[in-house]
Amino acid sequence: MTDSIQGLRPTAASSSWALMRTAAVSPMDLLMKRIRIIGSQQNGPEYLYEALDFVAKGKVKTIVETYPLAEASKAYQRVVDGKARFRAILTM
């Protein structure tokens, strides 16, 4: 988790749904970068295992808009304008 926190840009938020009892996070990363860690507890661990099993079996699909890298500015503008229906993903 430490690597993912250090990779966050300033004012970002990290949502953790993982099963972990402790996480080593530097208070300086939280304070200086003004980042937030958001946790979620959804029922019991057995439901998380079931959800992860669905993902592992390919039963969960993401819905995205893909754009070639050459159209990055177009994708960005759609996100800024709120016109991207899902996530805007750049492909190489």
Side-chain angles (χ1 to χ4, degrees):
M1 175 135 187
T2 302
D3 290 339
S4 63
I5 295 299
Q6 289 176 349
L8 291 173
R9 68 174 188 243
T11 70
S14 173
S15 177
S16 177
W17 293 20
L19 293 174
M20 63 181 140
R21 294 189 184 270
T22 61
V25 178
S26 165
M28 291 306 291
D29 283 335
L30 297 175
L31 295 172
M32 300 304 289
K33 294 172 111 180
R34 300 181 320 272
I35 58 176
R36 297 175 291 140
I37 299 174
I38 303 166
S40 176
Q41 182 177 351
Q42 303 289 325
N43 302 316
E46 65 276 6
Y47 294 102
L48 178 58
Y49 292 127
E50 183 180 5
L52 292 173
D53 189 48
F54 275 115
V55 173
K57 290 179 178 176
K59 294 183 178 181
V60 176
K61 302 291 182 198
T62 58
I63 302 174
V64 298
E65 293 181 14
T66 58
Y67 297 89
L69 189 56
E71 294 181 15
S73 60
K74 176 183 173 184
Y76 177 78
Q77 195 58 50
R78 283 185 53 81
V79 171
V80 169
D81 293 342
K83 294 181 180 176
R85 291 186 55 209
F86 309 107
R87 294 193 183 270
I89 305 295
L90 299 176
T91 58
M92 297 179 114

